[in-house]
Amino acid sequence: MVVQAPVRVRLAPSPTGTLHIGTARTAVFNWLFARRHGGSFLLRIEDTDRERSRQEYTDNILEGLAWLGLDWDGDPVIQSARIEQHRAAIARLLASGHAYRCYATEAELTAMREQQAAANRAPRYDNRHRHLTHEQEQAFIAEGREAVVRFRIDDDAVIRWDDLVRGEMRWAGADLGGDMVIARRAPADRIGDPLYNLVVVVDDAAMAITHVIRGEDHIANTAKQLLLYEALGVPAPVFAHTPLILNKEGRKLSKRDGVTSISDFRAMGYDAAALANYMTLLGWSPPEGMGERFSLAEAAAVFDFERVNRAGARFDWDKLNWLNAQVLHDLAPAVLREKLLPLWQQKGWGASGPAADPAWQADLCTLLGPSLTLLADGVEQAEPFFERPLADSAAVGQLAAEGAGAALTAVAAALPDGPLAPDAARALLDGAATAAGVKKGVVMKSLRAALLGSLQGPDLLATWDLLHRIGEDAPRLAAAVQSSSRAE
Ligand code: GLU
């Protein structure tokens, strides 16, 4: 594919909700394309729906993009600040005859649609006010009617474009629902609030956007927008319509599918690199030999639309979890610690005392890292290192077993004051087994129950070493010895 430089693409989110996975995936494709071609990735906040737009959503969207590593160029364009340019474009279309005022009332339009439904026809505006005479307009105004502005869409218009994903696309003007409203109802001497299709075209042209990359749910809008480019006499960008993200059942992923906001994925403990990697795979196939794990920068080096599928992309939690686990397993302990520390601190852990030692925390990360799928697992699994655990029933059972108390008493008596080297620890366990007259396995299981309150957990000697270094093994052993003597 030959791409004309310089590439300028944009993401145009509406701040009427948090950053959705679909919008974020669109952002990923825009970003990859821009970076691949050394172009610009711009943002435009489409906040013209004044009732539903909120600053907190804009903040959430910008934060989410930044967290994912999708840096944008320049300040975001705020669409509502450009309303005069939008109105000026509508005025031009009115003056050139591409647009006109339509005075049909809501009641008349409803009656029209009911008739169409009764006759089994698709609902469309029947262009009834396209050719009003001056007298007819004056009569409507005298009645007190307000008008919308409509853009003429000729039934015999043929709209075609070469879509970077879908190839040649064709639409007939007759299939676009009749003349399109481009400004909301207002008194006839004014232009009401400009609407989506018009505004997008005016802004994309003003921002000199070269490629519009967005979800395939916008295909019909593209057909309408191409007519607007032509009428306004501005060159149209190239379009790429990306496949939708589907749920397990093959339907468009929606709020009902649970987690769909980037901030929710983040709160669940997904890593930004893994999520960005996963989103890149939602609709794009990496070239042979690249594998499925890569950074955004690696993908940007090879990204093109020839490898974007037309078919919808099914959301696959297992693959996302697999990628997330891979990313976490590869982190250096000190880096994993930096990611976990804020989560630990929310729990009040590791802020003071020996467990606040960065080296100790990094060693805890070395121990836990390989078993994490989500960052949040690093909170759950770290808990018994920061807080004394309550023994679960299996651990209580183990502590009540024959010889457990004697074995743990022997371990406790032999604890060194200084460091606990692995060889010394093993010898200590052997000695305790002999002293208590039990198998070494009983000593190990009892020790695990005493230290972690559970029979499950990470490597025992490494666990013990970490707890020993913060002086937590002795008190836990003492409590376990007491509990096993109560059981006798
Ligand atoms: N604000 C529109 C949306 O969120 C933008 C669509 C477009 O990219 O033109 O869907």
Side-chain angles (χ1 to χ4, degrees), residues 79-103:
Q79 189 161 61
S80 59
R82 297 183 29 81
I83 191 160
E84 288 321 314
Q85 281 88 323
H86 305 145
R87 288 218 167 91
I90 295 171
R92 283 212 311 283
L93 292 171
L94 281 167
S96 64
H98 286 100
Y100 62 89
R101 289 197 159 79
C102 164
Y103 298 82

Side-chain angles (χ1 to χ4, degrees), residues 26-325:
T26 300
V28 169
F29 283 13
N30 273 282
W31 186 93
L32 291 171
F33 187 71
R35 296 296 173 252
R36 167 82 201 263
H37 296 287
S40 306
F41 170 56
L42 310 176
L43 286 189
R44 182 170 71 236
I45 302 298
E46 303 214 315
D47 61 340
T48 48
D49 182 342
R50 272 174 263 168
E51 267 165 31
R52 293 171 55 226
S53 295
R54 297 224 203 105
Q55 184 59 40
E56 68 198 73
Y57 293 138
T58 299
D59 296 343
N60 175 282
I61 290 166
L62 299 184
E63 262 167 43
L65 294 171
W67 177 69
L68 287 165
L70 302 169
D71 53 329
W72 57 90
D73 298 297
D75 288 334
V77 170
I78 306 299
Q79 189 161 61
S80 59
R82 297 183 29 81
I83 191 160
E84 288 321 314
Q85 281 88 323
H86 305 145
R87 288 218 167 91
I90 295 171
R92 283 212 311 283
L93 292 171
L94 281 167
S96 64
H98 286 100
Y100 62 89
R101 289 197 159 79
C102 164
Y103 298 82
T105 62
E106 283 308 330
E108 287 169 351
L109 294 173
T110 306
M112 175 191 75
R113 282 190 287 264
E114 279 167 5
Q115 274 174 16
Q116 289 165 342
N120 252 331
R121 280 184 288 136
R124 74 193 305 267
Y125 173 64
D126 59 8
N127 303 345
R128 58 180 61 184
H129 285 183
R130 196 191 262 190
H131 298 293
L132 292 180
T133 62
H134 181 68
E135 288 69 31
Q136 284 171 313
E137 284 207 45
Q138 291 309 313
F140 283 135
I141 294 169
E143 263 179 51
R145 289 194 186 202
E146 300 194 333
V148 298
V149 177
R150 286 187 185 267
F151 174 69
R152 286 174 61 143
I153 298 182
D154 290 326
D155 279 354
D156 56 8
V158 178
I159 305 133
R160 71 161 295 288
W161 73 94
D162 289 315
D163 196 284
L164 291 185
V165 178
R166 309 177 69 88
E168 186 182 359
M169 300 289 287
R170 271 175 189 276
W171 273 75
D175 294 334
L176 291 175
D179 294 343
M180 154 175 72
V181 180
I182 54 174
R184 268 189 233 282
R185 206 174 286 284
D189 58 345
R190 294 220 305 267
I191 291 172
D193 285 342
L195 290 176
Y196 167 72
N197 280 305
L198 179 283
V199 166
V200 165
V201 167
V202 171
D203 289 350
D204 282 339
M207 291 163 74
I209 297 303
T210 57
H211 296 75
V212 169
I213 302 163
R214 60 187 173 194
E216 68 174 35
D217 45 340
H218 283 288
I219 287 179
N221 286 329
T222 296
K224 295 173 184 170
Q225 289 171 20
L226 281 167
L227 292 173
L228 283 165
Y229 280 104
E230 203 180 308
L232 288 166
V234 285
V238 175
F239 287 90
H241 289 95
T242 56
L244 298 181
I245 303 176
L246 308 176
N247 63 15
K248 279 207 300 298
E249 289 77 38
R251 284 191 296 272
K252 183 177 169 181
L253 195 73
S254 76
K255 284 222 172 78
R256 266 165 289 136
D257 293 302
V259 186
T260 50
S261 286
I262 296 304
S263 39
D264 292 342
F265 283 99
R266 183 177 181 178
M268 281 172 77
Y270 286 96
D271 186 87
L275 191 56
N277 185 165
Y278 181 63
M279 285 192 290
T280 309
L281 291 170
L282 278 174
W284 181 70
S285 325
E288 220 57 22
M290 183 163 175
E292 290 192 305
R293 267 203 69 198
F294 41 75
S295 66
L296 280 175
E298 285 162 345
V302 292
F303 182 82
D304 70 27
F305 280 103
E306 268 136 50
R307 307 192 68 86
V308 173
N309 314 318
R310 293 182 194 194
R314 233 170 251 244
F315 196 88
D316 179 351
W317 284 100
D318 291 338
K319 182 170 284 186
L320 172 59
N321 287 339
W322 175 79
L323 280 169
N324 205 69

Side-chain angles (χ1 to χ4, degrees), residues 391-447:
D392 64 20
S393 58
V396 171
Q398 176 62 35
L399 295 178
E402 184 80 54
L408 293 178
T409 305
V411 173
L415 279 182
D417 285 337
L420 181 70
D423 285 345
R426 271 187 287 269
L428 199 160
L429 292 179
D430 287 334
T434 313
V438 295
K439 292 211 171 91
K440 194 172 171 197
V442 174
V443 187
M444 308 238 317
K445 262 170 109 176
S446 306
L447 178 62

